[in-house]
């Protein structure tokens, strides 16, 4: 029985780390909160046109799921996001989210996220606009450490769970 609880605690800790990583992708200015502009930028990088009013509605809907009160806030914190994901997302959904994220990053759809994919994403969208060249190169270096000339889906999942 103790072993099962430890397993569940470890699984929950891995899940929380993965959720926080996803949050920090959304948090473009790294201020530990996500605002409507962040939602719009991420949607645009995925090819979805979202205006600021729609983004605000999404944000308030997410916040409203945590309480029955009217939500005047316009930002989502990492703690609020984590609580929301823990409540609503199971491991199957997490795997699906990771797969969708991987597929977006694998620009040439060859089954690996490579430097070429990341460079293409950087050129095609505003996804990395908040990073300077040094920060961007650190991300690329991390990819290359975990995979030869890129990482496959399994390596990507392990990286996200670290």
């Amino acid at each position: 029985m103790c072993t099962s609880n430890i397993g569940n605690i470890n699984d929950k800790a891995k899940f929380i780390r993965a959720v926080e990583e996803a949050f920090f992708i959304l948090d473009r200015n790294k201020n530990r909160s996500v605002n409507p502009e962040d939602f719009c930028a991420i949607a645009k990088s995925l090819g979805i046109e979202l205006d600021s009013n729609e983004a605000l509605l999404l944000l308030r809907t997410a916040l409203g799921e945590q309480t029955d009160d009217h939500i005047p806030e316009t930002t989502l914190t990492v703690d609020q996001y984590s609580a929301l994901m823990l409540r609503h997302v199971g491991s199957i959904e997490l795997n699906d989210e990771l797969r969708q994220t991987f597929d977006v990053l694998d620009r040439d759809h060859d089954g690996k996220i490579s430097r070429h994919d990341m460079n293409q994403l950087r050129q095609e969208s505003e996804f990395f606009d908040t990073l300077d060249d040094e920060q961007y190169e650190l991300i690329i270096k991390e990819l290359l450490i975990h995979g030869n000339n890129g990482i496959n889906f399994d390596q990507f999942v392990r990286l996200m769970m670290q």
Side-chain angles (χ1 to χ4, degrees), residues 32 100-101 130:
R32 298 187 58 82
Q100 289 174 0
T101 302
T130 60

Side-chain angles (χ1 to χ4, degrees), residues 44-97:
K44 185 176 182 179
S45 74
L46 299 173
I48 300 168
E49 289 300 320
L50 186 68
D51 71 33
S52 58
N53 289 330
E54 292 170 318
L56 183 59
L57 180 61
L58 282 172
L59 183 74
R60 288 199 170 141
T61 299
L63 288 166
E65 289 189 18
Q66 299 201 42
T67 179
D68 293 330
D69 299 333
H70 173 70
I71 304 296
E73 299 168 10
T74 59
T75 60
L76 181 67
T77 67
V78 66
D79 294 332
Q80 290 166 323
Y81 182 79
S82 294
L84 184 66
M85 291 297 108
L86 281 171
R87 187 175 317 132
H88 293 288
V89 179
S91 61
I92 291 172
E93 289 87 359
L94 176 60
N95 188 60
D96 290 345
E97 290 294 322

Side-chain angles (χ1 to χ4, degrees), residues 116-129:
H116 176 75
D117 292 321
M118 299 303 279
N119 289 344
Q120 187 176 352
L121 182 62
R122 191 176 196 193
Q123 288 176 334
E124 293 174 355
S125 71
E126 299 172 0
F127 195 75
F128 293 111
D129 281 358

Side-chain angles (χ1 to χ4, degrees), residues 9 23 30 57 63 84 87 90 103-105 108-109 118 122-123 127 132 134 160:
I9 290 170
F23 177 85
K30 308 300 178 220
L57 180 61
L63 288 166
L84 184 66
R87 187 175 317 132
D103 290 345
V104 167
L105 297 173
D108 58 8
H109 308 292
M118 299 303 279
R122 191 176 196 193
Q123 288 176 334
F127 195 75
D132 62 29
E134 185 177 327
M160 292 294 103

